[in-house]
Amino acid sequence: MEANIAVPTEEKGKWDGGGPKPFNASYGKMMMWFFILSDALTFSGFLAAYGLTRFKFINSWPIADEVFTHVPFVHGDFPMIYVAIMTFILIFSSVTMVLAVDAGHQMKKSKVTWYMFATILGGIIFVGSQAWEWNTFINGTYGAVKTTEGKVLQFVKDGKQISLADFVTEPRTDGRIQHTRKNGLWFEGEGTVQKYSVAQVLKSYNANPDIQVRTEFIDLDKKQKTILSREEGALRLAEVKTVIEGANLQANEYGNTSFSDFFFFITGFHGFHVVSGIVINIIIFFNVILGTYEKRGNYEMVEKVGLYWHFVDLVWVFVFTFFYLV
């Protein structure tokens, strides 16, 4: 004979833990806050490591205004312009998310749909822009050379940095080609062979007396890299080991390699969060269209994913400040 256990009336409506709701929040919303807190600590650790490393190499850290100067389909130097546009788009997507949550509280399905769509569109534009920025950073702008001590040397004319292509005009004379499995041993390959050789760069430098060498050492008062005389430049170029074009985990034409390491890792980790948020937003978006939350009588799922999206936006504000402004 089975016993029927009656649930006391006063226990109805209590949180799924056997007690009152903490801060009057649902279980799902509390778990989202816990996740955001743990993720915030992770990003804090990464940014703290970046700050300590930058302080250690403060005299040779790349200058952001010289690195992030590109705008898609536009030629010229526009320091920080496109990064600012990216940031505005992401922050604006946070505004549309707020509007979607507010429309959900009012049970206005059509408004939730449109605001969610705007949020997703903003996220996609941001991720696409970040991918474009990565590609530009990897391919490089000017090119440089690296000494046996690991120091990066750049080239300037009339005080302004110039690219290797501006003065290295002769074709590569050593006959070096990219070694692949098709033109070499089938089991061997190698990294990308640079367009210019060290001998080419040295010869072109000696043939152009109006070109000078700039080191990665920064005059902190003037916020400019040190430009050497022709004689000093020739001495430093005698120590050159390799030509650098672009940035990767082994070399960085803009200066200290640690900068590119942190850039790829932290912005990539943030980009992964944005992509995850876009995927979740798309799922919620289609649920809104299907009327799932209308049937439930609330749009709490929109509010929960909104918390995550606001967190991603807030993290970018700190990443933007650390990498681009400070």
Side-chain angles (χ1 to χ4, degrees):
M1 183 175 181
E2 297 182 356
N4 294 323
I5 302 175
V7 179
T9 305
E10 60 270 16
E11 290 188 10
K12 292 182 178 179
K14 288 188 175 181
W15 203 48
D16 293 338
K21 293 182 179 180
F23 306 106
N24 198 32
S26 67
Y27 177 81
K29 196 180 297 184
M30 283 295 294
M31 292 304 103
M32 178 59 76
W33 277 112
F34 285 143
F35 168 77
I36 288 174
L37 178 61
S38 64
D39 216 21
L41 294 175
T42 302
F43 273 106
S44 298
F46 293 157
L47 292 176
Y50 171 85
L52 290 172
T53 306
R54 176 173 179 172
F55 181 77
K56 180 180 179 181
F57 299 105
I58 191 170
N59 290 328
S60 63
W61 207 249
I63 300 173
D65 284 348
E66 296 180 355
V67 179
F68 307 104
T69 61
H70 302 81
V71 176
F73 311 113
V74 179
H75 296 288
D77 292 337
F78 305 95
M80 311 301 294
I81 296 297
Y82 193 58
V83 180
I85 294 173
M86 288 168 50
T87 302
F88 172 79
I89 291 172
L90 191 63
I91 292 176
F92 186 76
S93 73
S94 197
V95 173
T96 56
M97 178 58 81
V98 169
L99 296 174
V101 172
D102 181 66
H105 289 160
Q106 301 177 40
M107 300 299 292
K108 296 180 179 179
K109 177 183 173 181
S110 61
K111 285 190 174 182
V112 175
T113 303
W114 281 109
Y115 287 135
M116 285 290 295
F117 176 78
T119 301
I120 294 168
L121 182 62
I124 292 174
I125 293 174
F126 176 83
V127 170
S129 299
Q130 197 170 49
W132 179 88
E133 186 183 55
W134 265 47
N135 181 66
T136 305
F137 184 69
I138 291 171
N139 290 328
T141 306
Y142 300 102
V145 292
K146 193 173 185 179
T147 67
T148 53
E149 297 179 350
K151 304 299 182 182
V152 174
L153 303 176
Q154 301 168 335
F155 297 92
V156 296
K157 183 178 181 180
D158 300 327
K160 295 183 178 180
Q161 186 176 2
I162 60 175
S163 67
L164 296 177
D166 291 333
F167 69 98
V168 183
T169 55
E170 296 184 2
R172 188 159 186 156
T173 57
D174 56 3
R176 189 71 167 85
I177 61 174
Q178 180 71 42
H179 183 187
T180 65
R181 295 182 179 182
K182 292 182 179 180
N183 60 20
L185 299 177
W186 68 270
F187 54 85
E188 288 187 4
E190 66 176 349
T192 303
V193 173
Q194 303 300 338
K195 184 178 180 181
Y196 306 105
S197 67
V198 173
Q200 276 182 284
V201 175
L202 296 180
K203 183 178 179 180
S204 299
Y205 172 79
N206 293 327
N208 291 272
D210 53 347
I211 295 176
Q212 293 176 282
V213 170
R214 186 173 73 169
T215 70
E216 62 182 19
F217 182 79
I218 300 173
D219 186 331
L220 297 179
D221 295 327
K222 297 180 180 180
K223 293 185 179 180
Q224 295 178 346
K225 295 182 179 180
T226 304
I227 299 177
L228 304 177
S229 65
R230 286 283 298 179
E231 294 74 17
E232 291 175 323
L235 292 175
R236 295 299 298 274
L237 288 176
E239 304 171 354
V240 168
K241 177 183 179 182
T242 183
V243 176
I244 307 172
E245 296 176 79
N248 50 53
L249 299 180
Q250 286 77 42
N252 177 15
E253 73 167 48
Y254 304 101
N256 197 295
T257 307
S258 296
F259 176 84
S260 56
D261 295 342
F262 276 106
F263 177 80
F264 288 129
F265 185 77
I266 294 180
T267 61
F269 191 58
H270 176 266
F272 170 76
H273 280 69
V274 177
V275 171
S276 300
I278 292 172
V279 172
I280 297 171
N281 277 336
I282 290 174
I283 295 173
I284 302 301
F285 172 73
F286 281 109
N287 283 339
V288 171
I289 293 177
L290 295 173
T292 302
Y293 308 122
E294 196 80 14
K295 296 173 183 177
R296 292 182 185 179
N298 66 78
Y299 283 83
E300 185 176 297
M301 282 300 297
V302 176
E303 187 173 356
K304 285 189 284 190
V305 75
L307 290 174
Y308 176 79
W309 194 254
H310 297 323
F311 167 73
V312 169
D313 290 2
L314 180 61
V315 168
W316 177 252
V317 171
F318 285 97
V319 173
F320 175 76
T321 301
F322 273 66
F323 273 97
Y324 303 97
L325 296 184
V326 177

